[in-house]
Amino acid sequence: MLLQRIMRDPSRCRIFCKVSDMYKNEILRMLRSSGSYVSGQELCRELGISRTAVWKNIRQLEEDGYEIEASAGKGYRITGFPDTIAEEEVASILQTERMGKKIRYFSRIDSTNQYAKRIAEEGAEDGTLVIADEQTAGKGRSGRHWVTPPGEAIAFTLLLRPPLSPDRISMVTLVMGMAVAEAFRSLYDLPAGIKWPNDIVTGGRKLCGILTEMSAEVQKVHYIVIGVGINANMCAFPDEISQIATSLKIETGQDVNRAQIIARTMECFERCYAVFEKDGDLSGLMDDYNALLINRGKVVRVLDPAGEYSGTALGINRRGELIVRRDDGTECSVYAGEVSVRGVYGYV
Ligand code: BTN
């Protein structure tokens, strides 16, 4: 029985978060993967629940905006999907073992990073994914505000408990940057690149920003939260960022499926993170990262608090530091946690 298999498989334990959602998620997954009718009998048998329970869960899915056709003798079939990034939608398409095995979704929250830190303090497990449709106090890098309009943006935060020292955490952020760029490329064939360390850009404009925060002692990280903000279906931006921001909708000319983007990003991240964990650094990923790096070979301005300087960005090393050759020929490695870089003529 499917349910018994799931119960034995710890990687699927996200379905035990809430009993009602447990069946909603699995029914959605079954209807989605069938692509056609699934009989009520089959749903009862696979999930080990009554016909009434199946019907109640189908009604719940309809209330969530799914269009489900019920046909006598054939069963149930999905005919329409809501534009949602709620737990059941993301969980029903997510193909990961570890990342997002537990999902917490909010239609509105202050900040997914803030929430992830709160639940991390209470013991939430590695791989927990927090998603919000709207953030009222979204945080950007350097204390900036990050705007997350409902129905248009993507905001999520992944909680990890890596057995690393704090100085290695910036590498994990670079891995997430790669994952986002690869997700955009694979889903939309979009020439997305990375502005070091982890802005995802296309055509010189920003599509996505990443903010990692951590709780740590001198040698030991308790947890990190990696927050990802993606400009998905926005058509316009506030004046102050209109010259440097763009969205997937603007770039692809179509509305994008936000749940699919979250799922694909988690899948790419899980794959890249496994390589990072095995190597203990970015040696197995740096060639791919450097191929995505838009600063490579370009003159950059390094905004080092100890003194700004310019040079040519050569690429990252295995610790994720940006190697910059200064005009006098000397090479510096720039650590992502301390400084940022700008193009000499603007954002990139
Ligand atoms: C940047 O300034 O480039 C980083 C932006 C990070 C925004 C994301 S949205 C999800 C998560 N929650 C937050 O409050 N911030 C991050």
Side-chain angles (χ1 to χ4, degrees):
M1 189 106 86
L2 175 65
L3 187 65
Q4 282 159 353
R5 272 204 321 271
I6 290 166
M7 289 174 96
R8 280 197 301 271
D9 179 359
S11 72
R12 304 289 294 281
C13 70
R14 92 173 132 243
I15 66 162
F16 297 105
C17 298
K18 222 161 82 184
V19 172
S20 56
D21 283 0
M22 171 170 112
Y23 299 120
K24 232 165 57 168
N25 292 357
E26 285 307 305
I27 288 174
L28 191 54
R29 195 184 272 276
M30 285 174 72
L31 295 183
R32 202 187 267 284
S33 66
S34 141
S36 179
Y37 290 98
V38 180
S39 71
Q41 200 182 8
E42 192 180 339
L43 291 169
C44 292
R45 196 182 55 242
E46 285 291 317
L47 300 173
I49 59 176
S50 68
R51 270 186 181 269
T52 312
V54 166
W55 182 79
K56 279 187 180 158
N57 278 273
I58 294 278
R59 286 296 304 273
Q60 274 188 28
L61 286 168
E62 286 175 335
E63 275 167 27
D64 293 343
Y66 293 91
E67 288 164 31
I68 301 175
E69 188 186 303
S71 168
K74 288 184 178 167
Y76 300 100
R77 179 171 78 102
I78 295 207
T79 55
F81 295 89
D83 173 28
T84 176
I85 48 175
E87 180 196 341
E88 60 270 17
E89 178 66 7
V90 176
S92 74
I93 52 178
L94 190 60
Q95 293 174 11
T96 54
E97 291 294 320
R98 174 176 169 192
M99 307 303 168
K101 68 183 178 183
K102 283 208 173 145
I103 297 177
R104 308 221 184 162
Y105 168 76
F106 298 88
S107 52
R108 192 169 209 236
I109 200 170
D110 51 355
S111 150
T112 53
N113 270 27
Q114 282 303 112
Y115 181 79
K117 286 193 283 183
R118 289 198 288 270
I119 60 170
E121 293 293 341
E122 291 158 10
E125 67 188 68
D126 177 87
T128 300
L129 180 63
V130 181
I131 303 173
D133 191 46
E134 180 184 6
Q135 293 186 120
T136 53
K139 296 192 294 181
R141 277 172 56 126
S142 310
R144 283 189 287 267
H145 180 59
W146 184 265
V147 183
T148 313
E152 294 180 1
I154 297 174
F156 66 84
T157 298
L158 183 67
L159 163 63
L160 291 177
R161 297 184 182 277
L164 297 172
S165 56
D167 60 329
R168 299 197 157 236
I169 295 307
S170 59
M171 292 190 251
V172 185
T173 314
L174 267 63
V175 176
M176 183 60 87
M178 282 184 75
V180 175
E182 281 181 12
F184 293 170
R185 284 174 165 257
S186 63
L187 287 171
Y188 306 113
D189 207 13
L190 191 70
I194 302 172
K195 173 184 173 287
W196 187 85
N198 41 49
D199 281 358
I200 311 307
V201 299
T202 195
R205 288 174 185 246
K206 180 161 167 172
L207 283 167
C208 165
I210 302 174
L211 176 67
T212 298
E213 299 177 81
M214 70 174 151
S215 161
E217 290 165 38
V218 179
Q219 286 300 328
K220 185 176 177 288
V221 169
H222 302 303
Y223 61 81
I224 63 172
V225 297
I226 314 172
V228 179
I230 298 174
N231 301 331
N233 287 322
M234 288 93 141
C235 297
F237 292 92
D239 285 349
E240 51 291 7
I241 56 169
S242 64
Q243 293 308 306
I244 59 162
T246 189
S247 71
L248 290 167
K249 179 172 179 160
I250 293 169
E251 298 300 324
T252 62
Q254 64 184 61
D255 274 311
V256 294
N257 183 315
R258 294 177 300 149
Q260 195 180 38
I261 293 166
I262 297 172
R264 182 64 62 88
T265 302
M266 283 300 102
E267 288 152 18
C268 292
F269 180 78
E270 184 162 285
R271 191 168 24 81
C272 294
Y273 191 69
V275 178
F276 168 74
E277 273 190 316
K278 180 172 72 57
D279 296 340
D281 60 24
L282 296 172
S283 47
L285 297 169
M286 58 189 253
D287 288 349
D288 288 344
Y289 183 97
N290 283 330
L292 292 166
L293 184 65
I294 58 153
N295 313 95
R296 201 174 187 192
K298 298 225 176 86
V299 177
V300 293
R301 183 107 192 117
V302 179
L303 309 178
D304 191 330
E308 293 186 15
Y309 58 90
S310 299
T312 304
L314 303 180
I316 62 160
N317 61 20
R318 63 189 175 82
R319 291 183 302 279
E321 296 157 349
L322 185 69
I323 309 299
V324 176
R325 189 169 53 224
R326 301 176 73 151
D327 297 340
D328 63 4
T330 56
E331 288 183 8
C332 317
S333 41
V334 185
Y335 177 61
E338 291 164 358
V339 298
S340 56
V341 299
R342 292 272 176 280
V344 276
Y345 300 115
Y347 168 61
V348 291

